[in-house]
Amino acid sequence: MSQNFLVRNKRYKTPVNVNRGISRHSKAKLLLNDNCVLRKTKWNEMKSSIPNFISIFVCCAGLVQASEGRLKAWPLVSLVLLFSTVDYMALIIVDFDIIKLKVNLPLLITLSLTSVMYFLMIRMKKRLSFLLLKLQYLPSSTKESIYSSLMLVIFLIPLAVAMSVTILCDKKITSTEYTFGHEVENQWAQIMLIFFKEYIYFFTYPAFPCLIDVLYCTICVRCSCAIRKLTRKISLCSPEQFGPSEQIQVLRYKAKIDETLKITQEIFSVPSFCLIVATSISCYSSLGLYLLTNPGTIQLIEVFTAAVFSFLCLTGTLWTAGTLSVELNKLKDTFYEKTYLRWISYRFPSEENSRKEIFDKPDFVFTGCDVITYTRSSVFAIVGALLTYTLLILNMS
């Protein structure tokens, strides 16, 4: 087997084995090393590990430690998320109605979970910056450009919905509702108020959680691509060529992938759990609202947009994150098959350790707070739950 068995990105010079052998007990030392790496690393090196639109988002939203002088919009993002949650809560309290509460409460929960998700990500900015540096050593996937374009679409959707609602609604009635019963006389002020409120509501949810989800899915796709390429290289290698040195190379490369997966789990465990809960609540509430009531044109636009985004975000997260466990199982099977064929052909007893090394390790699966396991089968469970919920509503009505 040639020395080019593993693909390495030679354009980057960030240390390969920084923080090797992570453990929970050495977290303080790890963060110190992260700071040392980040001080020596320019923003251009960090953003080159992910597509352009995604790198702009994580920088402007304050999710990473970017270099000085770059645009930082995270105070504005924080203000928008907090304002939308507090403002909607105030609207519910002022215009309290037990019947409307069934519709308003799920939306309030999703807005609150979005704020929680964002501030959890802010707290992990050092770890996310370090993770983006480590992604430089994994081969990129063609799917990442699709995710980058999708992020631009997500940015534009709240703008389109806000414009549609502003044009179609009764501006006098809607503006009075948004000002807690105080009538706004100026027509331009009514238009600006409605557009502003609708935009920040839809930016907070579902747009912003979807942006976080695109970042998460991009990292998962990058790791899946690295595992898939490693599996392919092993399968193309003959048992005779797949000697101890090549097996050690594979195990070392897999160790780097495992470290990246652990850091990703550490960063996104709680935020992804908030995302799953928020999107599930939105799907169920949107479906219930559509089946139990007769929504008008404006309400139908809002419900349909939220439901589609929530469903795609929910299923996309589970499917993409669940792909990793599938690829890891394929890697294990391919590695075992190749080493076993070599062992029965050449009888090298000392090489049994490499098979034990990869099989004794438990399977890695992404989870949300160790409560929800992200697997492909979870997608069918979600769809089945939605269908069951639909039938229950139809039987009740």
Side-chain angles (χ1 to χ4, degrees), residues 7 22 68 87 111 114 122 145 213 232 234 248 288 350 365 374 387:
V7 178
I22 305 175
E68 296 295 331
D87 183 74
L111 294 174
T114 301
I122 288 291
S145 58
D213 183 57
R232 187 180 301 118
I234 297 173
I248 293 299
S350 59
V365 180
Y374 301 158
L387 292 175

Side-chain angles (χ1 to χ4, degrees), residues 81 107 110-111 114 200-209 275 278-280 282-283 306 309-310:
L81 297 182
L107 179 56
T110 56
L111 294 174
T114 301
I200 64 170
Y201 288 153
F202 269 87
F203 176 79
T204 303
Y205 189 88
F208 192 81
L275 175 69
T279 51
S280 300
S282 179
C283 287
F309 266 78
S310 299

Side-chain angles (χ1 to χ4, degrees), residues 234-381:
I234 297 173
S235 63
L236 294 175
C237 181
S238 66
E240 182 180 2
Q241 292 176 320
F242 197 58
S245 60
E246 285 75 15
Q247 295 175 25
I248 293 299
Q249 286 184 36
V250 170
L251 294 176
R252 285 178 177 174
Y253 192 72
K254 183 180 180 296
K256 294 176 185 178
I257 298 175
D258 290 341
E259 185 179 0
T260 304
L261 294 176
K262 288 180 181 179
I263 299 173
T264 305
Q265 171 66 14
E266 179 187 344
I267 295 171
F268 288 95
S269 176
V270 182
S272 64
F273 179 75
C274 294
L275 175 69
I276 295 297
V277 173
T279 51
S280 300
I281 291 174
S282 179
C283 287
Y284 289 127
S285 62
S286 299
L287 182 61
L289 180 65
Y290 177 77
L291 294 176
L292 295 178
T293 63
N294 187 20
T297 304
I298 297 173
Q299 198 173 28
L300 191 60
I301 293 174
E302 296 174 339
V303 170
F304 178 78
T305 304
V308 169
F309 266 78
S310 299
F311 183 77
L312 293 177
C313 189
L314 178 61
T315 56
T317 301
L318 296 174
W319 186 268
T320 307
T323 303
L324 278 162
S325 59
V326 176
E327 296 296 339
L328 285 171
N329 286 330
K330 289 181 180 179
L331 175 62
K332 278 188 176 184
D333 293 341
T334 305
F335 187 91
Y336 177 81
E337 178 184 357
K338 200 64 64 173
T339 54
Y340 181 72
L341 287 174
R342 178 178 171 82
W343 182 75
I344 63 175
S345 300
Y346 302 100
R347 293 289 180 176
F348 294 124
S350 59
E351 295 185 16
E352 288 188 54
N353 294 329
S354 61
R355 296 202 303 274
K356 293 180 180 179
E357 181 68 25
I358 197 168
F359 271 89
D360 289 347
K361 197 169 186 179
D363 296 336
F364 180 88
V365 180
F366 279 123
T367 63
C369 293
D370 293 326
V371 175
I372 303 175
T373 302
Y374 301 158
T375 59
R376 286 183 173 181
S377 59
S378 301
V379 176
F380 297 99

Side-chain angles (χ1 to χ4, degrees), residues 11 13 40-41 63 128 184 201 225 241-242 245 281 330 361 385:
R11 294 181 296 170
K13 299 180 179 180
K40 297 177 181 178
T41 306
L63 301 180
L128 183 58
V184 179
Y201 288 153
C225 179
Q241 292 176 320
F242 197 58
S245 60
I281 291 174
K330 289 181 180 179
K361 197 169 186 179

Side-chain angles (χ1 to χ4, degrees), residues 38 42 63 69 80 90 97 113 123 127 129 145 154 183 191 198 219 227-228 230 233-234 252 254 286 294 323 397:
L38 292 174
K42 296 180 182 179
L63 301 180
V80 168
D97 188 340
L113 288 174
R123 290 184 59 188
R127 305 295 288 135
S129 302
S145 58
I154 294 172
E183 187 174 341
I191 294 174
E198 288 290 333
I219 297 172
I227 298 170
R228 192 180 306 112
L230 181 59
K233 289 181 181 295
I234 297 173
R252 285 178 177 174
K254 183 180 180 296
S286 299
N294 187 20
T323 303
S397 58

